Structures are given as C-alpha cells and as structure tokens.
Amino acid sequence: MTKRLSKADRSRPTRWVGRLLTLGPGGLYLTLFLAVPLAVIVTYSFMRRGTFGGVVYQPTLENYRRAVDPLFLRILWDSVRIGGLTTLLALLIGYPAAFAITKLPTRWRLPALVAIVLPFWSNFLIRTYAWIVLLNREGILSKALRAVGLTDEPVGFLYNRGSVVVGLLYAYLPLMILPLYAALDRIDPALDEASADLGAKPWRTFIRVTVPLSLPGMTAGSIFVFVPSIGNFVVPELLGGGQAVMVGNLIRDQFLRARDWPFGAVLSLSIVGLMMILLVVQAVQLKRTRAHA
Amino acid sequence: MPELVHIAKVTKRFGDVTAVDAVDLTIEENEFFALLGPSGCGKTTLLRILAGFEDPDEGQVLLGGRDLVGVRPYDRPVNMMFQSYALFPHLTVWQNIAYGLVEERLPKREIEQRVGEVIAKVGLEGLESRKPHQISGGQKQRVALARAIVKRPRVLLLDEPLAALDKKIRADMQLELKRLQHEVGITFVVVTHDQEEAMSMADRVAVMNQGRILQVADPITLYERPADYFVAQFIGEMNFIAGEVRDGRFFSPELEGVPAPDADAGPVWLALRPEKIVLRESPGATPVELEGRVETTTFFGSLTHCYVRLPGREEPVVVTAPGPRTFQPGATVWMTWRPEDAVLLPR
Ligand SMILES: Nc1ncnc2c1ncn2[C@@H]1O[C@H](COP(=O)(O)OP(=O)(O)O)[C@@H](O)[C@H]1O
Ligand SMILES: [Mg+2]
C-alpha cells in the first residue's frame, strides 16, 4: 500500500512536466495571440478615446451605447446579409464541386483538391485586383458583352453589393469546398448501396443519406466562409468602391482614420460575439454526428 | 419446388482477376441456399451481381424468368443484408427499418404496421428510437435483417450475416435465421466461409473456389459424396490416399486392390471420413485394410480421435470412434472400412 502511494507520488511531477510540454506550445500560442489581444480589446472597449488614437483610462459605457446606434446596426445587418449571401452561394457552388470530387477516381482527387486551393498561393490583393480588370467598364466582361452585341454601351459591374459578393465568394470558396469534401468523403459508400438496395433512386439517396450526413461539413464550411466574409474590408474597399460599407471597413476606419480605438474595440467584439454563437452551434452539431461514427 | 433464380454462364472480371468464372446456378423458391467458399473466392461478387451492384461481363441472371441484367438495384425485387450492416447512422432503428417502405410510398399506416410486425419478429421491441451507435452488434444485425425482410423481397441476400458476431451469439442466430426463413417464406441466399454454418442452416449449399462453383448439393450429400478434392477437404475432416484405379480396383503403395466397381480408370484420391474407419487390434481377412501404428489418441467425451501413422506417409490418418477408446501410443492397429464409404475423386 505505502509502496504504491510513493510510486504514484514519484510519477506525479513527471506527469505534469509531460502535460506542460505537450500543452505548452498550443497554450502559449493561445495566450499570446488570443487571450492577451482579446483582453486588451475588452479593456479598450470600456475606456475613453484619446485625441490622437489610443485610450484614456477612464471607465465608461459610452462606447457600447454608441454601438446600438441604428446607423451602425444597419451596417452590421448589411454585412451579415452580404456575408450570408456569399455563404449561401458558396454552399450552392461548393456542394456540387465537393460532391463531384468524391466521385472522381481516387488518383484524380488530390489533383482536383490542389487545383481548388491553388489560388491561395497567390497574393490576396493581386487576386482581388484581377476582378477589377475583369469587371470594370473597360474590362474583359464588358468588352465581351459588346462583342456579342448584347449591349452597345460599356457596362461596369463594379462598385455595388454584387461585386463585393463575387469578390468574397471567389476568395473564400475553397474554405467551403474543403470541409464539405472531408464530410462527403467520410460517408461509407455502402450506405449509398444500402439505400439503392432498399429502393431509393440516386436523387432520393442524395436527399435522405448524403445531405444529412454531410451536415457537419456544411456547417463548418459555412462558418469558415461567413466569418471572414463579414470581417473582410479589402474586398468592399476595392470592389465595393465605398458603396458597400461593411463592419470590417468600419472597424478599420475607427482604428486608423477616426482614431477612436474604444469604439473600434466594441465593434470588433460584436463580430467576436457573432462568431462565438456560430461556433457553439457547430460544436453542438459536431458532437451529435461524432456520436454516430 | 419451382425455380426462382437462374444464373447462366455468369462471369465477372476485375482487371486480371476473374472473380466469378462461368457460374451456372439455380435457386429454388423458398429455399435456404448457401454460397460457401474460402475468402476471396468470389461469393460477395456473385451476391452483388444478384443485387445489381455489379454487372456481369458475360452471362444471364433470371429472376422468375425475367432477365435482370441492366435492371438497377432500386428496381429489383431483391434485398441484401450487407456484411458491414450499412445501417444509416443518422436514423433511428425504426427509421432504418421503415426506410425502404417509405421509398415504396406506402400509406403511413401500412408502414407503421409492417415495421411494427418485423420489429416484433426479430425481437427489437423497445429499441425503436435508438440510433445504430446505441445498440449492440447483435442488435445491429437484427436491424439490418429487419430492414431487408420488411420489404418482402423475392430473394434475400445475406453477405456473411453472422461473421461479425461473437461465437456464442452466432450459434443462436443460426437457428434464428433458419426459423425466420421458414416464417417469412422468403428465399434466402447466404454467403459464408464457415462450412459448419452453411451445413447447419442451408437446404442446399454451393461450394465455390476461385470463382467457380465446384458442387451444389444438400449438406448430407456434400458431406458423404463430395464431387471434388477441394470440396472434400474443405468440408469436415477427410483422409486422402493417393492411388490409381485399374480394372475396377483401387491400388496404392499401401493398398492392394480395393474394389471400386464404378470408378473410371486413372489417378485418383481415395477419400475417407475419420468416422467411417474401424480400428482393430488384429488383422482381418480382407484386402480393405491398412496396418499402422497409433501415434496419439485424444479423448473428447463423446468421441475419441486417434492418429495413426502409416509407413512411408507424412500425414497420420485420423480415425474417430464413438465413446472412450484407448490405445497405447506405438501399438499396431489395422484399419478397415466398407468400400462404399470411401469416395474416389479425380486427382
Ligand atoms: N471492386 C473490385 N475491384 C477489384 N477486385 C475486386 C473487386 N471486388 C472483388 N475483387 C476481387 O475479386 C475476388 C473475389 O472477391 P469477393 O467476391 O469479395 O470474394 P469473397 O466474398 O468470396 O471473399 C477477390 O480476388 C477480390 O480481390
Ligand atoms: Mg465477401
């Protein structure tokens, strides 16, 4: 008995060292890049603004009161709508793409996935500028329409909500396709056969088996697209031309132009809050499907 | 009994592998039919051809006279119980079983009634609202079975239905499958690599090896009159003596002219079941006799196994006798049998 106890005692420090070593790097990362910045932002949100940026350490709730201003809420709502539309389109385009990749012969799947993430290897700004070349009044699309005689005038497609959605969709579509592919690929092919065997035509199998079992991938992909979409400020700036202001732009402006850091902090926290809600929804769903597997 | 399934010259190749090789088979109405063979011999492929998941490269599959080649799986009056069960993980037990009836667009009341009946029949009461991950292996197997029989198919295909179960449950389930087949009156085609399973459940057994059907017979015939060396060694225990038939007699280094009136001349195996051999402690006056030395005896209660070594032979001859029998290791014994109990197989 005594012997056993002492043995457990001896192993305790080693266990702690082991845990610290394995948790250490991740924990350090989370502390440095998540907990500390978040704490700073939360603190700023309760302070008064400094005249030339920064904060004056006088606690106040003023910033939160300003955030429920209808003007800001409208911009937030607009961002949610643009992000939502982007997410919906990404789902509609990404689902068939991911589904098609799972049906490819095994040796073609990796090349197809690489092709999907290939644009990520070029600079985000340059990729977004490329859309200006495509969509502006003297751009390729406009010229093509004139060439086939659909219009006589140059047509510009830029500087509206539509062009922002196109830009965001283009930027984040791979983030939809990859988790969808992962979810679809995990579905046991025997389930498709079992469904067919029980009398279901392919489209019925798709609705009754494939879609429900790929739900976690749909949620993950939607979050991966939605969250960066509503926070993005480069695309609205370049392709929205100031016509479509999103929360991202607003936050950037508060910090860099209006020099109102505390208000910028409150706006940032509003997105963080939105994100948290989505992640909780996803975690609950993932837990439910994990149980299946 | 009228013929239900007719498989004619069916061949299926995967690249260089001929998984099913010119198979001819008829399966009768209401029959419990088993496809028996070692792993990789093409049983699953043949079953998948019947279910419509594989198209044969050659040959015909008829069900009740109707050609099934080209008919999609969802249009076939055939259901399959998958080796992995393939239960839908997102659906409850009840929903899994109702799945195929919903596809038939049956009225809700009929679906409820039929699912309820089947649940009672396979003993899944109380588990209706569980998900597949919340039930045991044996219960999953019942759901897979219920899901298929509730469709009332003309033929039910079962791919190694008991392979994933514990040995103890397996024996119970063998009986239960047999009972169920009687009750529902559906033709069962069971695939298995376990010869005891096939022999104990099936009305008729087809023995397969390397894509070919070697023999189709009822279990007793298969045991007593195997038509092929592979069948003879695959099913039960068998002693083989290599020899030759000349002038209606079997000759081997050990044996001089055992009568074999019906055998064709040529090289053959003489195959003898261990329980057909009688052991004596003194020679009799018969040409059907082998002299050997007892190597070991093992007593199993109702049986004794005796291993007898013959001069110039690697493998001992196995003899089983009912009840306890003891021989001193090294004792000289004489083995004899009735010539009609031996089977001569082409070598
Ligand atoms: N889809 C397939 N592709 C390639 N080879 C296959 C395929 N299915 C089966 N085979 C091959 O066909 C042979 C028979 O397989 P199978 O019918 O599964 O045997 P069994 O069920 O008797 O174990 C095996 O050699 C197997 O490797
Ligand atoms: Mg198999």
Side-chain angles (χ1 to χ4, degrees):
Chain A
M1 189 71 205
T2 347
K3 218 173 180 180
R4 248 201 234 147
L5 261 179
S6 71
K7 201 173 168 189
D9 272 349
R10 242 185 295 133
S11 70
R12 193 166 284 162
T14 14
R15 243 192 4 235
W16 275 106
V17 169
R19 275 190 200 166
L20 221 60
L21 278 178
T22 42
L23 290 178
L28 196 69
Y29 181 91
L30 283 179
T31 314
L32 275 183
F33 297 110
L34 185 72
V36 171
L38 202 60
V40 169
I41 293 286
V42 169
T43 315
Y44 279 10
S45 74
F46 288 106
M47 299 299 155
R48 287 187 197 285
R49 60 177 294 191
T51 324
F52 306 105
V55 293
V56 177
Y57 290 93
Q58 289 171 1
T60 173
L61 287 174
E62 173 67 13
N63 305 307
Y64 284 91
R65 211 183 44 71
R66 275 174 63 203
V68 291
D69 183 281
L71 186 74
F72 166 68
L73 289 181
R74 221 204 61 229
I75 291 176
L76 184 65
W77 174 235
D78 267 3
S79 311
V80 168
R81 272 175 40 195
I82 289 177
L85 183 62
T86 306
T87 307
L88 186 69
L89 290 174
L91 195 59
L92 290 178
I93 297 169
Y95 202 106
F99 189 69
I101 296 173
T102 60
K103 299 291 170 205
L104 286 177
T106 325
R107 66 168 186 279
W108 288 112
R109 285 185 210 164
L110 190 62
L113 289 172
V114 169
I116 298 241
V117 293
L118 209 56
F120 268 144
W121 294 353
S122 69
N123 182 283
F124 182 69
L125 277 175
I126 291 171
R127 276 187 284 147
T128 309
Y129 268 113
W131 280 99
I132 298 182
V133 176
L134 275 172
L135 297 180
N136 76 40
R137 287 177 68 82
E138 293 304 321
I140 294 169
L141 188 56
S142 174
K143 282 189 182 141
L145 286 181
R146 269 179 290 165
V148 296
L150 273 174
T151 167
D152 299 328
E153 300 280 301
V155 203
F157 295 91
L158 282 175
Y159 313 129
N160 53 45
R161 278 208 190 126
S163 55
V164 173
V165 169
V166 166
L168 291 173
L169 186 59
Y170 170 73
Y172 297 128
L173 188 57
L175 297 181
M176 178 64 85
I177 294 180
L178 295 181
L180 272 179
Y181 171 79
L184 288 167
D185 192 50
R186 272 184 47 183
I187 300 177
D188 180 0
L191 296 181
D192 284 5
E193 290 189 341
S195 173
D197 188 69
L198 293 167
K201 293 190 168 62
W203 71 272
R204 293 282 304 164
T205 299
F206 182 76
I207 288 172
R208 295 188 75 187
V209 178
T210 316
V211 169
L213 288 178
S214 61
L215 221 52
M218 285 156 86
T219 329
S222 297
I223 290 174
F224 290 169
V225 172
F226 183 75
V227 169
S229 287
I230 61 167
N232 191 300
F233 56 87
V234 174
V235 173
E237 182 97 2
L238 293 179
L239 303 181
Q243 298 297 306
V245 177
M246 292 176 66
V247 218
N249 302 81
L250 206 57
I251 295 170
R252 198 262 328 254
D253 286 349
Q254 293 309 317
F255 277 97
L256 300 184
R257 296 213 177 121
R259 308 234 176 247
D260 191 345
W261 290 16
F263 188 51
V266 171
L267 300 184
S268 303
L269 287 175
S270 70
I271 302 189
V272 172
L274 204 64
M275 224 162 66
M276 299 275 243
I277 296 171
L278 293 176
L279 288 175
V280 167
V281 168
Q282 192 225 8
V284 167
Q285 198 188 44
L286 194 67
K287 203 173 153 197
R288 224 184 310 154
T289 30
R290 276 274 166 75
H292 295 156
Chain B
M1 271 193 275
E3 135 186 345
L4 180 61
V5 180
H6 187 87
I7 297 170
K9 297 262 169 304
V10 164
T11 297
K12 176 72 189 178
R13 296 182 199 92
F14 295 108
D16 305 339
V17 181
T18 306
V20 173
D21 193 358
V23 163
D24 287 305
L25 206 58
T26 48
I27 297 165
E28 290 163 6
E29 200 105 47
N30 281 341
E31 188 173 31
F32 199 127
F33 193 88
L35 277 171
L36 171 65
S39 165
C41 74
K43 309 178 295 288
T44 297
T45 305
L46 189 55
L47 216 58
R48 289 172 58 83
I49 290 173
L50 284 172
F53 295 124
E54 307 283 358
D55 289 321
D57 295 318
E58 288 158 34
Q60 259 197 326
V61 180
L62 301 175
L63 179 76
R66 171 179 171 222
D67 191 351
L68 281 185
V69 171
V71 178
R72 304 320 310 153
Y74 45 82
D75 287 328
R76 293 188 181 206
V78 168
N79 285 107
M80 176 141 163
M81 192 186 135
F82 289 78
Q83 187 165 1
S84 61
Y85 306 148
L87 301 182
F88 303 117
H90 58 301
L91 301 180
T92 63
V93 166
W94 197 93
Q95 289 166 330
N96 263 283
I97 298 173
Y99 192 96
L101 299 182
V102 171
E103 287 307 314
E104 287 180 38
R105 294 166 186 276
L106 294 178
K108 204 168 164 243
R109 286 196 43 167
E110 188 180 344
I111 295 180
E112 279 169 5
Q113 188 209 333
R114 275 169 67 173
V115 172
E117 275 171 22
V118 167
I119 283 179
K121 201 167 276 168
V122 300
L124 282 170
E125 296 102 330
L127 301 176
E128 289 88 345
S129 51
R130 298 263 188 98
K131 293 278 183 71
H133 71 274
Q134 296 167 317
I135 58 178
S136 73
Q139 290 163 342
K140 281 184 195 156
Q141 192 255 11
R142 283 158 200 265
V143 177
L145 190 62
R147 187 175 72 172
I149 57 177
V150 78
K151 295 272 291 176
R152 299 181 182 156
R154 302 282 303 273
V155 183
L156 179 64
L157 310 170
L158 303 96
D159 193 357
E160 308 262 2
L162 309 178
L165 302 180
D166 294 343
K167 205 170 173 183
K168 200 163 158 284
I169 311 177
R170 211 183 303 163
D172 293 344
M173 277 311 290
Q174 282 178 17
L175 288 175
E176 205 168 319
L177 271 184
K178 184 93 188 141
R179 168 188 68 83
L180 210 62
Q181 192 261 339
H182 261 282
E183 255 179 55
V184 296
I186 295 173
T187 304
F188 276 31
V189 179
V190 174
V191 155
T192 176
H193 65 268
D194 180 338
Q195 48 110 2
E196 278 177 33
E197 198 170 289
M199 303 289 274
S200 64
M201 291 194 294
D203 299 320
R204 284 195 309 149
V205 180
V207 182
M208 269 185 98
N209 191 30
Q210 297 183 337
R212 292 171 177 275
I213 302 266
L214 301 175
Q215 188 174 6
V216 185
D218 62 277
I220 295 177
T221 308
L222 219 49
Y223 186 81
E224 306 247 305
R225 294 281 128 195
D228 176 277
Y229 177 83
F230 179 85
V231 176
Q233 58 87 35
F234 193 69
I235 291 170
E237 277 216 74
M238 189 68 102
N239 298 298
F240 293 98
I241 298 168
E244 200 180 351
V245 170
R246 271 178 271 125
D247 315 320
R249 283 176 172 271
F250 173 85
F251 296 93
S252 79
E254 305 97 339
L255 285 166
E256 280 301 312
V258 176
D262 303 327
D264 292 332
V268 293
W269 292 106
L270 183 133
L272 258 179
R273 293 285 177 201
E275 71 277 11
K276 304 285 188 193
I277 301 174
V278 179
L279 281 184
R280 291 207 203 104
E281 279 157 71
S282 56
T286 162
V288 190
E289 193 162 63
L290 289 168
E291 187 184 334
R293 296 169 91 80
V294 173
E295 198 171 81
T296 45
T297 55
T298 323
F299 175 52
F300 285 105
S302 59
L303 294 172
T304 306
H305 282 209
C306 215
Y307 296 84
V308 182
R309 177 134 335 253
L310 297 186
R313 205 183 128 97
E314 277 287 313
E315 291 220 349
V317 172
V318 187
V319 181
T320 55
R325 274 202 76 180
T326 45
F327 289 97
Q328 286 304 319
T332 303
V333 288
W334 285 265
M335 295 179 278
T336 183
W337 60 91
R338 299 187 311 177
E340 63 269 28
D341 283 341
V343 182
L344 294 173
L345 302 168
R347 184 152 65 96

